[in-house]
Amino acid sequence: MDMTWQQRQFVLAFLAVALFVAVALAVDVRVGEDVTLECRFNPVLMDKRHTFYWIRANIKEKDNVAIGESPLEKNYRISFKPAEGQYDLLVSGATYDRDNGRFECRLKEQGTGIELHSQSVDLVVLVPPSAPQINPVSPVAVEGQPTELVCSSAGGSPDPVLRWYRKGEANPLEGAITKPGGSRSVATLSTLMVRPQKEDDGSEYRCVAWNRAMDINDKKEANVALTVNYAPRVRVSPSPLNVERGGSVQIQCQVDAKPAVYSVRWTRSGRFIATSFNHTLRSVSLDDDGLYVCSADNGLGQVGEAELQLDVLHPPVVTIGEARKEVDIGASVVVPCNVSAKPAPTSVEWIKEGDAQFRSNGPVLRLNRVSANDNGRYLCRATNTIASTERSGNATFQLLVKHEPGTARISPEEPIAVDEASITLTCVADPPGWPVPQYRWWKAGAEGTILGTSSELTIHVARQNSEGTYYCQPNNDLGTGGSSYVNLRVFQPPRFIGQLPPVLQKKAQDADFNMTCSAQGKPKPSITWLKDGVEILPGSSSGAYELVTDESEGRNAIFTVRSTLRFHGSERPALSQLTADDRGVYTCAFENQIRRIESTLTLKIEHAPILLDHRPKVASNVGSSSVQLLCQVQAYPRPNFEWSLRDVPIIGGGGGGGGATASDSKYEMNVTSITNAANGHDIYQGMLRINDVKESDYGDYTCKMWNAEGENAAAVRLQATSAPEKPTNLRVVQSGYDSLTLEWDEAFNGGFENTIYTVLYRAVSSSSASLGGGEAGQQQEDDCQYANPCVIRGLEQLQSYTFQVRAENTKGKSPVSSALTASTVVDLSRIPEPKQVAYEPKTKTISFNVDSQLPLMAMVESRVDGDWALSQKISVRSPVSREVVDLVKDDVDDIRIKLCLEMNTTLCSEAVVAVTGDLVQEPTKALTELPAKYMVAIIVACVVGSLVFVLFAIFYCYRRRRAQKLKKLLEMEKAHSARPTIGQQQQQQQQQQQQQQPPPPYYAGLENKGRDQSLMNTSHGSMLDDAASKNALYATQNGYGYAVASAQNNGHANGGGDWVNMAYTEHSYSNSNNGGSVNSQDSLWQLKLASQNGGVGGVNGGGGGGDHQLGNGTLPDRSYHYDPMTHGGYGGFEDYSHYPPSNGDDYMQRNNYGVVTANGDPYAAVHKNGKRMEHLESTYHNVSGLPDPYMEAEPEEMKQHQQQQQQQQQQQMAPPQHHLSFDESLESGYSTPNSRNRRVIREIIV
């Protein structure tokens, strides 16, 4: 059949498009799965004689796999639907060897061989790759030299993607060169070139392989650790290294190299020293100072070196060219001083011996016109600092100026010689004279006898006749100097004439006992008596001792002192009898300026035993293994001990002494001699051990001790363990302003050493401050544990308390002790200052605030003419005081107040000057000193209240705005309630077609489904009368493409010559940005119009009842999808999700854009061209159903906008052509603020 010109043009255009899309598509399939290779062509091509076939090209061959509807292999099937332009190849059970490759679908015209259609599909059978392998397995590189790491992976389809990673880095490495394998049998290679550094040694590289056969998170990888060899890095001890001369130092060389080095080479000034890493230099000298070099070589061609500067530190070494120089008076002297030091000296100076005023800075000594005073020894001293310590060196220079000696001077100036000892007198001249003078010594009264000619005179054995006046006079060749003299005295140290005997034994009650010792000495010695190392002071011990001392002076002023210690006084029995307390060590000591001598006597007093340490009660429980009873006595001679129970003696060996132990297994007794630091010797302790304690052992035991002088006894009660007895003698040891230290006598502890003590106390006055936070007067407890004395803290100053103490052990508590009342003292720093001090001159009223519980007195002072004077005393009884002041003068300069203790007004705080004013309000503590916690609560309440108010205001504004919007929408609905009928719409459409008027006043490409439907429902005659002249024009009118379908279209009836909408133009869009809502009014109006023109069959083009089935009996496609190009790439359903998508193939919906069959679904979503309309489309894409931003305007602006819109609509309706009403503009796609708002309401209603 011959094609018209238009049909040829269409075919040529279709072939061009087909060639353009003939690029092979890639399809993935896993091994064993089924896949369909789609081939789509234009059904128009079926008018020709044709041949369909599929060609497969894999790694083995290229051959046909299907011809026509006949597959050539059993795993292939053909789905051939010519009317739909479908020739698909179905592959089942895909395998790599057979199916991996390119498949081509071809359609050729029979006879001519012209290829009418060709489509290629690259089928990729997905096979995961093998685990990658890295070569070399253990790579070794040299620093700075390139090294290749090769990763290979085979067996995958498609070729795997190989990526390199370095451990610790998330991003893959760049620069790797990949060589694809091309097939499973050839491995894909990836080569990574690295140029490693030392820091890369041990770094791990990872090769990851992945292809599409694997999950996105499933990867195969291989790891390799890179070993990098690098040249030596040499590091030496910190340079410069300082060491003091004569010390030892270790120079250290550390080498980091791979491969490692095992020796180094130390050199200094090119001279080899050692090969050890750590080399020690001992007894460092100045020759060791210099630059040391440590070098190392590991064979990589680069030698590592490091230098170390060794500085040998030493104090200054000072040298002078000539040590002495002899000059005449008037000459000039220049003496240089050479100094060598490291570090350099900080100072160099000259000083002169014996002359503290002379000082010359600098290394050169310059003396001009010398005189006799310049004669002497000069010292050049240099100083530097080593290790934060000043070090110095010096050298001496002696200047000898020729002159006669000056006046002599003898030392010591007041010489004292000791009898029979030696003494030396030294004589010097000032100036000394040069040449060296001789010295002539003589004694007054014997001037003719020369005692010596040198500068020193020594008396080897001084006697009393050596005392006298000694003279000295110098002379030399140039003259004689003046003489000088000193008086020599000879002293005699104390020497005993009569001493005390070492030991003396007396009996108690002996009377009139004395001790006497005497000594001589010069000057007169003093006498001191001591007992057991404690001095017996005259007067203080008059109740027990009397001291009698006699003195006499002999020849040469030598004194004789005799002293007697008499045991006599009012404290002694019968005034002079000895007691046991007189035993001890007595010492008489004589002392003068020369020395001290002592004589000692040990006095033993025979006396009956005296009880020392007595524990009257001992506790032990029945069944105890043993218990000890002790009694300690002092006695001389040694006492005997005897133990008895209830007056029945306990028989046992050793009871009398010798420390023997009783042999009876029930009892053990012994006596031990002990030394007591307080009582000295002659102390004995008797012990009775009772084994296997029974109840019958409880009772009163008696410890009896006796000697030749008498006897004594002590009672000891053995009882069961019990609660402790109450402490006694509670007393205050120390008082503080916030603490008291208490001490007490511990009573019987009930047999438990771990007895604890608790102090109970309360304030005496109930009005006093609370203790520890309780109410005033509330009893408090302080756990002293084992402490005695115990410190009670946290008390108020100047407060009285009552104290009691209680003991406690595991058996219970003791009764409390007797009460003790004590007070704390005052802390002057805690006497408060008055606050808010104010003075009102008119009423002479002063007010102030006091924050203290102390009994205070306010001292009001006034200042007149610069002097402060006490004006009034105010007793403070409340925190706020307001008093009228009785001033001496009315015109006072200032008023001030200080707070003092009532009981002692000398203890006061600092004074505070009052603020003077006409009106002074009474301070209120509740207002001025509001607690911080209440202030915080008030602030928090204000903040919370403000937040609640703001939230309420926001909610109120939101509800009000929402109500205004709804009100406006309802008003607009009423204002636009009138709309044309459907018949009027059809009449207008027919007039438009007859008059060939241009399209209605809406932009080209906007939908007008009512118009299209009316055209489809007109009679065949009216549609075909002007087919030849109107087809081309009308087929493209308003952006739509229409074509007249033939009567027979491969079984798909279009209702005769009905128009079929083939495609939208690129500017086609619906009345909203979602491509036309299926719930919008346009679809409902279309259905209504269709029903008026013959039912649904009018829409389907073929009648057939009310069903919506296709001509071939298949259900219509009801998938509603966004166009990805139109809606920003968001696929899925339309705005209303209650229309589910179809589960069938959506190929036709995705590829045949805009093609709608005459029997298609009237609710189908419109698929439009992907080009966007920037001037009409929302930047947020799908905005249907959202509140209109235009409604945010003010009501007045909204009214003006509505009036302007109505005027525009009236102007548009003036010509005799179609004018869209409010609803029509909405259905056709012309979107205005009013139309969008009305659509929201209509869609909600629908």
Side-chain angles (χ1 to χ4, degrees), residues 170 226 262 273 294 486 585 591 606 617 656 684 795 810 1127 1145:
L226 179 63
Y262 300 98
I273 296 177
C294 176
V486 293
V585 178
E591 183 178 11
E606 297 177 3
K617 292 183 180 180
Y684 303 91
L795 306 179
T810 57
H1127 301 287
D1145 186 17

Side-chain angles (χ1 to χ4, degrees), residues 706-717:
W706 74 94
N707 62 8
E709 300 300 323
E711 66 180 22
N712 203 344
V716 181
R717 172 172 293 179

Side-chain angles (χ1 to χ4, degrees), residues 113-126:
I114 297 175
E115 189 173 274
L116 303 177
H117 178 75
S118 176
Q119 186 173 346
S120 299
V121 179
D122 287 336
L123 182 62
V124 180
V125 179
L126 301 180

Side-chain angles (χ1 to χ4, degrees), residues 724 746 748-757 785-786 807-809:
E746 299 178 4
F748 178 55
N749 59 18
F752 297 93
E753 296 297 332
N754 56 345
T755 299
I756 62 176
Y757 295 90
Q785 290 293 316
Y786 311 108
E808 182 180 356
N809 61 18

Side-chain angles (χ1 to χ4, degrees), residues 393-469:
N394 55 69
T396 59
F397 166 76
Q398 188 171 14
L399 179 62
L400 303 174
V401 181
K402 296 178 181 180
H403 65 283
E404 63 181 14
T407 303
R409 180 168 51 86
I410 303 173
S411 60
E413 295 179 356
E414 296 181 356
I416 297 175
V418 178
D419 192 25
E420 297 183 358
S422 65
I423 185 173
T424 299
L425 303 177
T426 302
C427 182
V428 295
D430 186 19
W434 184 258
V436 178
Q438 292 182 346
Y439 297 87
R440 186 168 64 90
W441 290 90
W442 71 91
K443 183 180 179 182
E447 289 80 357
T449 303
I450 303 302
L451 301 178
T453 57
S454 67
S455 62
E456 291 183 350
L457 174 63
T458 300
I459 302 173
H460 297 286
V461 179
R463 305 290 183 183
Q464 291 298 320
N465 58 8
S466 300
E467 286 187 338
T469 301

Side-chain angles (χ1 to χ4, degrees), residues 1045-1087:
S1046 60
Q1048 298 293 333
N1049 191 9
N1050 295 329
H1052 294 273
N1054 287 335
D1058 289 348
W1059 289 90
V1060 179
N1061 184 0
M1062 297 301 294
Y1064 294 110
T1065 63
E1066 65 176 3
H1067 295 296
S1068 175
Y1069 62 98
S1070 67
N1071 60 346
S1072 68
N1073 283 332
N1074 62 357
S1077 172
V1078 297
N1079 284 344
S1080 59
Q1081 283 289 90
D1082 52 4
S1083 299
L1084 298 179
W1085 281 105
Q1086 183 179 359
L1087 288 176

Side-chain angles (χ1 to χ4, degrees), residues 164-178:
W164 287 92
Y165 294 86
R166 181 169 175 169
K167 185 177 181 180
E169 298 180 4
N171 297 325
L173 300 178
E174 298 181 357
I177 300 175
T178 301

